[in-house]
Amino acid sequence: MPAAPPALPTAPQVAPHASPKSLKQPPAAERVYAHVKEGVLARRYEGGTLLTEGELAEAVGVSRTPVREALLKLEVEGLLRLYPKKGALVLPVSAQEIADVVETRLLVETHSVRKAVPAPPGLLVRLTELLEQQREQAGAGDFAAAAVTDRCFHAEIVRSGGNDILSRLYDQLRDRQLRMGVAVMHSHPDRIAKTLAEHEELLAALTAQDTDAAVDVVTRHVGWFQHLARGAAR
């Protein structure tokens, strides 16, 4: 699987005498976009779910106009398919999408883990923190949070190489990785223990400055998703 986590938004700093009215909410379309996208990635809206403009407008507390704007953006991102006068269908993760993500991840991550050796102390400390965080989230059954941390664990290694173009390419996979990660944890609950064990293996290999062992772990760890692609294709 499908690393610092993309920094979560922090609470706005409010002046002591600021009134609630002085705090501006994000534009309506942005609120709808965030609501639907989070729901899709966390599987509250699973593949095959038909979302209607009216239901979303009521859920977010806006009119239908910003709902349409948000749904159009999500369709461009490949998460939804719009059907005029009916709503938006949440697209399931396809076998081809899994295969494409795995192929791209293997290319980027095997290259990045080679560049990560010898690993700087700061990287090892950060990976240790993320591994413990993911272990706690998995233990609490918070699979959505565990999937975010899982992705951040790998992204941290990619970023450590200092190649901004490669990092941006990897970041483009973020939503697909998160969605696949949550789906895997729900459909293969035993996989989370294996994931944590493989992260421990990878951290140990980086700590020991063993490039071959690190590449082997990444190849096995990411390549496991090919099993999903083959299974979905049958």
Side-chain angles (χ1 to χ4, degrees), residues 51-71:
L51 306 175
T52 67
E53 291 181 2
E55 291 170 341
L56 293 174
E58 183 176 354
V60 183
V62 298
S63 68
R64 294 194 179 198
T65 300
V67 171
R68 295 189 193 103
E69 182 180 339
L71 294 181

Side-chain angles (χ1 to χ4, degrees), residues 32 35-36 45 48-68 70-71 74 80-90:
V32 177
H35 170 83
V36 177
Y45 298 138
T49 301
L50 185 66
L51 306 175
T52 67
E53 291 181 2
E55 291 170 341
L56 293 174
E58 183 176 354
V60 183
V62 298
S63 68
R64 294 194 179 198
T65 300
V67 171
R68 295 189 193 103
L71 294 181
L74 289 164
L80 307 175
R81 178 173 297 149
L82 300 186
Y83 291 93
K85 299 182 180 180
K86 292 184 179 179
L89 183 71
V90 179

Side-chain angles (χ1 to χ4, degrees), residues 110-185:
T110 53
H111 170 78
S112 297
V113 81
R114 286 190 178 95
K115 289 191 68 176
V117 178
L123 174 62
L124 299 177
V125 169
R126 182 59 184 151
L127 294 180
T128 300
E129 293 172 347
L130 288 166
L131 178 57
E132 182 56 32
Q133 180 176 315
Q134 187 183 17
R135 185 179 288 111
E136 292 175 359
Q137 292 163 338
D142 192 345
F143 293 150
V148 171
T149 305
D150 180 286
R151 185 265 170 196
C152 292
F153 183 95
H154 292 271
E156 197 70 35
I157 296 172
V158 174
R159 278 196 293 271
S160 74
N163 186 324
D164 290 340
I165 294 176
L166 204 60
S167 294
R168 285 197 294 272
L169 170 63
Y170 192 75
D171 285 343
Q172 290 175 12
L173 300 176
R174 178 179 181 272
D175 291 342
R176 289 182 168 85
Q177 285 182 253
L178 292 180
R179 194 174 177 207
M180 287 167 54
V182 176
V184 165
M185 291 182 195

Side-chain angles (χ1 to χ4, degrees), residues 15-45:
H17 303 294
S19 68
K21 291 184 178 180
S22 66
L23 300 177
K24 291 185 178 180
Q25 282 190 314
E30 288 184 18
R31 283 185 280 137
V32 177
Y33 171 84
H35 170 83
V36 177
K37 188 166 188 175
E38 191 278 332
V40 171
L41 296 182
R43 293 180 78 246
R44 285 189 292 103
Y45 298 138

Side-chain angles (χ1 to χ4, degrees), residues 3-15:
L8 296 175
T10 55
Q13 299 299 311
V14 184

